[in-house]
Amino acid sequence: RASDLLASVPEELMADAAIQAASKKLAQFEEARLLGDPAALERDLAANPDNHDARMKLARIFNAQGRRDEAAEQLLTVMRRDRTFEDDGARKQLVEFLEGWGFKDPASVSARRKMSSILFS
């Protein structure tokens, strides 16, 4: 229903920050729904901690669920283990999350600090 509601918003209102934020959040929920079952992804990671694809999917699901610290930790783990995975995809995804969360968000502050220690160590 939320998709239908957003689709009915007049074009001149689509530039409103609140409408754009709602649209982006809805897109994240839709993406997360298509990424799979988080419990299954966690089981895959328990069996194979280097399954970076599963870890990246889980990060996007956690982000859509508002579990920011957990989302960041999944991406930071990929960065620690294999910076070259998907052409530094974990760092790129984390930066995208940070932009969405805002500079002062506690999860952003913590994740930026941890990311810096990985990048500059």
Side-chain angles (χ1 to χ4, degrees), residues 14 18 23 25 32-33 41 57 67 75 80 95 97 104 107 114-115 117:
M14 288 303 291
S23 180
K25 190 68 173 173
R33 190 174 57 81
L41 293 169
K57 287 178 181 177
R67 298 165 61 183
L75 296 173
R80 284 183 201 104
V95 168
F97 285 173
K104 294 183 180 185
K114 291 174 183 177
M115 182 171 59
S117 72

Side-chain angles (χ1 to χ4, degrees), residues 32-64:
R33 190 174 57 81
L34 298 174
L35 291 172
D37 175 26
L41 293 169
E42 288 177 322
R43 284 191 302 274
D44 288 348
L45 287 171
N48 178 9
D50 288 328
N51 183 345
H52 302 316
D53 184 56
R55 201 171 290 283
M56 297 276 289
K57 287 178 181 177
L58 196 56
R60 291 194 297 272
I61 291 169
F62 285 163
N63 181 57

Side-chain angles (χ1 to χ4, degrees), residues 5-24:
L5 182 61
L6 279 172
S8 70
V9 172
E11 178 127 4
E12 61 271 8
L13 296 178
M14 288 303 291
D16 182 85
I19 299 290
Q20 289 181 349
S23 180
K24 185 169 186 166

